[in-house]
Amino acid sequence: MQKVNTVGKKKAAPKKMLPGPIAILTAEKNFAHPWIGNPLANRMGLHVGRILLATAFDRFRRLRNIPHRDDRVWIQQLRRDGVVAIPDFLPSDEFARMRDEIVGTIRDSFERFPFQENTETGFGQRKNLGEIGFDRFDGGTLNRFLSLDRNRTPASFALVRSKRFRRLYKTALGFGFNPGALQLYYTRFGSEANHDSQKDFHRDTFHPTLKFWYFVEDVSAEDGPFIYVPGSNRTSSARLSWEHRRSVEVSARTARKGGAFRIDEEELNALGFAEPRTFAVRGNTLVIADTYGFHRRGDGRPGAERFALYGGVRRMPYLF
Ligand SMILES: O=C(O)CCC(=O)C(=O)O
Ligand SMILES: [Fe+2]
């Protein structure tokens, strides 16, 4: 019989937060921070002010980062909708190499670090996998991140340093990025008996920022595709009122403060957005999303898998 290991129950140590008011000028989003989550300051519009200032910085960054003509349609779509899917991103021979490397490296990692059932609820703690990466659960969903390495993953290592990729991602992000922050990303869906809160609509943070997934295997509707509400990256007055209401509510709480606000579908409708778009995509598709817009992880059947090259570079809101 197969032995099922379990990840321990211990909660992750809270991330260190910058002390004092300086945090207001950083990407800090956690309302547990005494300044960020100050109830009076938020009633008076601190949170909304941070959003408006971040939006102004973003506008300026866009003006400075004019897309190359080959990237223009994608960047325009990304800026307008907050999301874009670029199909057939690589020529077929390069794609085949990437797929073999990414799927192979991820499968090999399970030889060395087998799948372990999870007993924690919510956003789990990181579990290191030697020098190669780490696992983290969202409820029943396993996220495995593996670092890129010149020898172990030469094709991925080279892709994220290639001229075309760097140009596209830099223009999208608004400034240079550290390719060392990009990883292989494997997602394995589990049972909803242990709810995955990434499957609830939310926005990650209060300012425009990007994540990308270059999927190397098809992601069907049953494989838990990424879902995004087009246009929800834009800051309307209705959105600002919602943000204000939520900031006041979250500041008043004593627990579960966080900073990645959840939203239900009724509220999304009330904000007047278009229908959410589901990114069931073919392998060789690059999906880029501004996760200030509302999104969620689709409902994958248990055992469904996604294989991707991934970047979640959190942009500093008040830098050019
Ligand atoms: O895995 C996904 O499809 C999206 C999860 C998510 O919400 C995120 O990465 O911010
Ligand atoms: Fe998210």
Side-chain angles (χ1 to χ4, degrees), residues 36-56:
I36 306 291
N38 184 286
L40 178 62
N42 282 311
R43 275 203 300 279
M44 290 172 64
L46 171 65
H47 178 67
V48 166
R50 292 182 85 208
I51 293 176
L52 285 172
L53 189 59
T55 308

Side-chain angles (χ1 to χ4, degrees), residues 13-225:
K15 268 207 293 226
K16 279 234 167 59
M17 289 187 279
L18 270 175
I22 289 292
I24 290 169
L25 295 174
T26 70
E28 182 56 72
K29 63 175 180 177
N30 194 344
F31 277 68
H33 186 285
W35 285 78
I36 306 291
N38 184 286
L40 178 62
N42 282 311
R43 275 203 300 279
M44 290 172 64
L46 171 65
H47 178 67
V48 166
R50 292 182 85 208
I51 293 176
L52 285 172
L53 189 59
T55 308
F57 270 76
D58 195 55
R59 292 248 165 79
F60 189 74
R61 249 187 249 122
R62 288 178 182 199
L63 293 175
R64 286 198 351 164
N65 287 278
I66 310 288
H68 184 274
R69 66 182 139 67
D70 296 347
D71 304 335
R72 195 171 300 136
V73 284
W74 308 123
I75 297 286
Q76 278 172 350
Q77 204 176 323
L78 174 66
R79 290 177 178 174
R80 186 188 68 218
D81 297 342
V83 68
V84 66
I86 308 179
D88 303 318
F89 183 65
L90 291 180
S92 52
D93 54 335
E94 270 182 63
F95 162 54
R97 256 201 312 281
M98 286 291 290
R99 187 190 51 215
D100 292 351
E101 174 176 293
I102 292 177
V103 175
T105 306
I106 290 170
R107 291 255 180 261
D108 286 352
S109 75
F110 281 97
E111 302 277 315
R112 196 167 150 205
F113 298 102
F115 175 72
Q116 303 194 325
E117 282 302 337
N118 175 42
T119 56
E120 282 179 70
T121 54
F123 189 83
Q125 64 175 319
R126 257 176 194 231
K127 185 168 175 284
N128 285 330
L129 309 172
E131 74 296 351
I132 64 168
F134 65 92
D135 280 350
R136 194 181 57 68
F137 275 93
D138 297 312
T141 308
L142 169 69
N143 303 283
R144 174 164 289 193
F145 296 93
L146 301 177
S147 48
L148 303 187
D149 180 272
R150 194 187 298 276
N151 302 315
R152 209 161 13 87
T153 60
S156 311
F157 191 86
L159 174 68
V160 301
R161 285 165 179 76
S162 67
K163 197 164 155 207
R164 176 180 171 219
F165 183 87
R166 291 190 71 108
R167 183 190 71 213
L168 173 65
Y169 199 46
K170 178 180 178 289
T171 314
L173 198 62
F175 51 73
F177 64 97
N178 173 8
L182 311 184
Q183 295 152 304
L184 304 191
Y185 185 4
Y186 168 81
T187 316
R188 183 188 190 278
F189 290 76
S191 152
E192 262 303 292
N194 188 356
H195 178 59
D196 172 356
S197 62
Q198 306 276 29
K199 293 180 182 164
D200 304 330
F201 275 111
H202 63 280
R203 94 289 186 273
D204 287 352
T205 190
F206 66 93
H207 61 91
T209 192
L210 290 190
K211 284 184 176 168
F212 81 82
W213 296 255
Y214 170 61
F215 291 109
V216 291
E217 290 280 19
D218 297 353
V219 181
S220 75
E222 292 76 47
D223 297 330

Side-chain angles (χ1 to χ4, degrees), residues 185 198 202 204 211 213 226 291 295-297 306 310:
Y185 185 4
Q198 306 276 29
H202 63 280
D204 287 352
K211 284 184 176 168
W213 296 255
F226 181 64
T291 56
H295 63 280
R296 75 178 185 92
R297 175 176 291 158
R306 297 188 328 200
Y310 168 77

Side-chain angles (χ1 to χ4, degrees), residues 236-256:
S236 62
S237 55
R239 170 70 177 272
L240 281 179
S241 320
W242 181 86
E243 291 281 349
H244 183 248
R245 241 184 1 261
R246 292 303 311 270
S247 71
V248 171
E249 201 181 289
V250 176
S251 316
R253 281 187 199 156
T254 47
R256 288 188 39 249

